[in-house]
């Protein structure tokens, strides 16, 4: 493979390798790149995804590696991630191709570090080339550790009528067994490829997303899990899209409570449809940047719901009185910084754990996906809107979290670890 890469001489390079089909991961990597761009060359690699244009709009160069993702493959990845499909993300053949192309690229560019958020192949290629790998993560990815310490409730994938009579304690045990079993399907083909390259094997799902450094995009009191010394808190990474706010939102009347409804990249269309249609006749005005998720389904949009394309959520979310979200870490952190109560309806275990963390802080309600009804959503919203303690807790946590919005935390980390002196380009 031939690479046409513009790299400034005598400057160290950091390569970013996000899963660009995921909006939150893409924007988090962009925020780190912004913090590092005065001190390093910045370059992105991509296997494809809907959000490459956001990276290019920020002025960063992308090298596209094979195999490129098809829309069908992206759907497969999300189904595996959400426990709807028991399979590995990629085949051995695909992983081997990814690793070989990454190695060839790294030999050409010679990066001082690689930053990823969900490209497991980097864990092999970086080990082969002895390049420090940085995982952009959060404590709720330590999902099995969280279950063992009873910090999270059991996942929705086990929330079936036939299993509920087991009780919380036994369902947690079943969750640990399920994650260990499912995890083997995920990392087995990676282990087979890693063995070919003579690198270390993975023994659990927590192993496969563990880097030489692990950057936690959250405040240090978000979750009560203790972290190893390789973990470093860098604070929330909020995607700040350069997109206009429609006039109908800017001029939205404040005669009724405003609901901000967002489901990120991983929201399931059938769930979004039920939620949107469930707002029919309810005494709210709803802002819903979910247009791309419902474009191919038959849905009746109520008159009190404004459906839009992607918005600068860091500006729009604070306009609302309450957030209804899926629980992805970017959406959660944006909701935290809006300082308002939260209702969570999650798509996967990590998102459920994120909402559980907010529930413990006293200003969120989690509705299990399998039990969702418009009536339950309405009851949860009404409960939180009437709860002054929940509102106060949300505002207090916003204020404490704002102290972590310091880009120097990121810059200082990268300069300290990967650059001899703090001299700008």
């Amino acid at each position: 493979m031939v690479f046409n890469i513009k790299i400034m001489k005598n400057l160290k390079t950091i390569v970013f390798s996000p899963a660009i089909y995921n909006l939150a991961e893409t924007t988090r990597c962009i925020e780190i790149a912004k913090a590092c761009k005065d001190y390093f060359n910045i370059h992105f690699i991509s296997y494809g995804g809907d959000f490459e244009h956001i990276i290019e709009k920020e002025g960063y160069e992308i090298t596209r590696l094979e195999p490129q993702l098809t829309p069908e493959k992206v759907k497969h990845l999300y189904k595996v991630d959400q426990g709807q499909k028991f399979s590995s993300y990629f085949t051995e053949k695909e992983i081997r191709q990814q690793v070989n192309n990454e190695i060839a690229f790294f030999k050409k560019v010679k990066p001082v570090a690689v930053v990823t958020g969900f490209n497991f192949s980097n864990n092999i290629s970086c080990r082969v080339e002895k390049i420090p790998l940085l995982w952009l993560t959060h404590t709720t990815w330590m999902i099995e550790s969280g279950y063992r310490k009873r910090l999270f409730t059991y996942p929705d994938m086990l929330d079936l009528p036939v299993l509920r009579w087991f009780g919380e304690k036994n369902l947690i045990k079943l969750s640990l067994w399920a994650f260990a079993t499912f995890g083997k399907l995920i990392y087995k083909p990676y282990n087979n490829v890693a063995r070919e390259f003579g690198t270390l094997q993975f023994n659990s799902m927590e192993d496969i997303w563990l880097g030489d450094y692990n950057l936690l995009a959250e405040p240090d009191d978000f979750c009560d899990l203790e972290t190893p010394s390789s973990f470093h808190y860098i604070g929330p990474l909020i995607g700040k899209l350069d997109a206009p706010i429609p006039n109908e939102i800017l001029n939205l009347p404040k005669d009724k409570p405003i609901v901000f409804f967002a489901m990120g990249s991983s929201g399931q269309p059938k769930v979004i449809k039920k939620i949107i249609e469930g707002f029919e006749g309810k005494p709210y005005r709803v802002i819903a940047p979910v247009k791309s998720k419902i474009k191919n389904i038959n849905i009746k949009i109520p008159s009190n719901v404004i459906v839009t394309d992607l918005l600068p959520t860091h500006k729009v979310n604070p306009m609302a009185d309450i957030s209804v979200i899926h629980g992805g870490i970017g959406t959660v952190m944006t909701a935290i910084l809006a300082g308002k109560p939260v209702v969570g309806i999650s798509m996967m275990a990590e998102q459920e754990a994120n909402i559980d963390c907010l529930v413990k802080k006293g200003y969120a309600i989690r509705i299990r996906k399998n039990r969702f009804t418009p009536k339950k959503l309405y009851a949860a919203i009404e409960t939180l809107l009437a709860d002054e303690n929940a509102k106060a807790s949300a505002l207090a946590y916003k204020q404490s979290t704002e102290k972590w919005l310091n880009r120097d935390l990121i810059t200082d980390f990268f300069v300290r670890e990967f650059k001899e002196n703090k001299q700008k380009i």
Side-chain angles (χ1 to χ4, degrees):
M1 180 174 284
V2 178
F3 304 109
N4 296 314
I5 307 164
K6 299 175 184 177
I7 297 293
M8 296 176 67
K9 293 181 179 180
N10 303 320
L11 296 176
K12 293 183 177 180
T13 298
I14 296 175
V15 169
F16 288 83
S17 177
I20 302 179
Y21 57 87
N22 183 279
L23 176 61
E25 183 176 337
T26 302
T27 56
R28 288 200 297 274
C29 280
I30 288 172
E31 291 304 306
I32 292 181
K34 288 179 180 177
C36 296
K37 66 183 177 63
D38 289 337
Y39 304 93
F40 301 90
N41 284 311
I42 303 296
H43 197 93
F44 281 76
I45 57 176
S46 170
Y47 289 106
D50 289 340
F51 305 110
E52 288 184 341
H53 68 281
I54 300 176
I55 296 170
E56 292 176 321
K57 189 174 181 180
E58 292 290 342
Y60 300 117
E61 189 178 8
I62 300 175
T63 294
R64 293 166 177 84
L65 302 182
E66 297 292 336
Q68 285 283 292
L69 298 173
T70 63
E72 292 72 26
K73 188 67 175 183
V74 172
K75 290 179 182 178
H76 164 82
L77 296 175
Y78 272 123
K79 284 183 178 180
V80 174
D81 209 31
Q82 295 173 4
Q84 299 179 64
K85 191 173 184 179
F86 293 95
S87 169
S88 185
Y89 293 109
F90 295 97
T91 65
E92 282 187 36
K93 180 180 178 181
E94 290 168 331
I95 295 167
R96 189 177 296 108
Q97 188 176 2
Q98 290 169 343
V99 171
N100 278 318
N101 286 333
E102 288 163 15
I103 289 173
F105 178 80
F106 296 155
K107 287 182 181 296
K108 175 75 174 180
V109 174
K110 296 180 173 56
V112 68
V114 174
V115 180
T116 191
F118 214 71
N119 278 337
F120 299 145
S121 54
N122 296 158
N123 247 332
I124 301 174
S125 57
C126 285
R127 286 175 175 176
V128 171
E129 290 301 298
K130 296 180 172 54
I131 300 168
L133 177 63
L134 292 85
W135 268 91
L136 181 54
T137 184
H138 36 283
T139 44
T140 49
W141 273 15
M142 300 168 67
I143 194 78
E144 294 174 72
S145 298
Y147 286 144
R148 291 189 188 97
K149 294 183 179 295
R150 301 294 296 275
L151 295 175
F152 316 136
T153 60
Y154 68 90
D156 285 355
M157 68 179 181
L158 297 181
D159 185 47
L160 304 172
V162 71
L163 296 178
R164 289 172 192 162
W165 63 272
F166 277 34
E168 179 80 19
K169 184 177 180 180
N170 288 324
L171 282 171
I172 290 293
K173 291 180 180 178
L174 184 58
S175 302
L176 288 168
W177 175 85
F179 273 89
T181 303
F182 184 38
K184 290 178 182 178
L185 291 176
I186 300 291
Y187 61 76
K188 181 179 178 180
Y190 288 93
N191 275 350
N192 290 341
V193 174
R195 193 176 298 112
E196 295 173 11
F197 286 90
T199 67
L200 295 175
Q201 309 292 290
F202 308 109
N203 297 310
S204 71
M205 282 302 293
E206 291 187 8
D207 277 356
I208 204 170
W209 52 56
L210 191 68
D212 301 288
Y213 301 85
N214 302 278
L215 307 182
L216 295 162
E218 61 190 72
D220 63 359
D221 59 348
F222 177 63
C223 176
D224 296 326
L225 270 175
E226 294 183 9
T227 57
S229 59
S230 65
F231 284 68
H232 307 269
Y233 287 94
I234 58 173
L237 296 172
I238 305 300
K240 298 177 180 178
L241 295 181
D242 182 18
I245 302 174
N247 286 331
E248 60 182 335
I249 293 177
L250 291 173
N251 300 321
L252 194 65
K254 296 180 174 57
D255 55 335
K256 300 175 183 178
I258 297 174
V259 177
F260 180 77
F261 169 53
M263 285 268 144
S265 305
S266 59
Q268 296 172 10
K270 63 180 182 180
V271 177
I272 295 173
K273 171 184 167 72
K274 286 179 66 176
I275 293 172
I276 286 180
E277 292 183 342
F279 283 120
E280 175 73 46
K282 299 299 186 294
Y284 316 123
R285 297 192 183 277
V286 182
I287 302 170
V290 296
K291 189 174 183 178
S292 65
K293 304 299 295 185
I294 60 172
K295 60 185 178 181
N296 295 321
I297 63 174
N298 182 24
I299 182 171
K300 181 181 178 182
I301 299 174
S303 60
N304 61 333
V305 177
I306 300 173
V307 174
T308 73
D309 287 315
L310 295 176
L311 294 170
T313 55
H314 64 294
K315 296 179 181 179
V316 176
N317 201 342
M319 298 168 59
D321 298 288
I322 192 167
S323 299
V324 177
I325 58 176
H326 66 317
I329 193 65
T331 308
V332 162
M333 291 298 151
T334 304
I336 287 172
L337 292 166
K340 310 291 173 58
V342 169
V343 177
I345 307 165
S346 300
M347 304 297 112
M348 62 187 77
E350 164 255 319
Q351 296 171 358
E352 296 157 11
N354 289 334
I355 298 298
D356 284 342
C357 291
L358 295 188
V359 170
K360 289 186 176 182
K361 296 186 185 305
Y363 67 91
I365 292 174
R366 175 180 159 197
I367 300 175
R368 290 189 178 275
K369 182 177 59 178
N370 298 339
R371 307 188 199 189
F372 167 80
T373 64
K375 184 178 180 179
K376 287 183 178 180
L377 176 58
Y378 176 65
I381 292 174
E382 288 296 295
T383 296
L384 289 171
L385 288 176
D387 189 339
E388 296 302 322
N389 288 331
K391 293 178 184 178
S393 296
L395 182 59
Y397 195 55
K398 169 196 173 181
Q399 292 169 343
S400 68
T401 300
E402 285 176 333
K403 299 173 185 177
W404 285 88
L405 297 180
N406 181 357
R407 190 175 285 178
D408 286 345
L409 292 172
I410 304 170
T411 305
D412 291 345
F413 171 82
F414 277 87
V415 168
R416 180 176 68 250
E417 298 295 334
F418 304 114
K419 190 174 175 63
E420 291 84 359
N421 56 72
K422 195 172 181 179
Q423 181 179 355
K424 290 187 178 182
I425 293 172

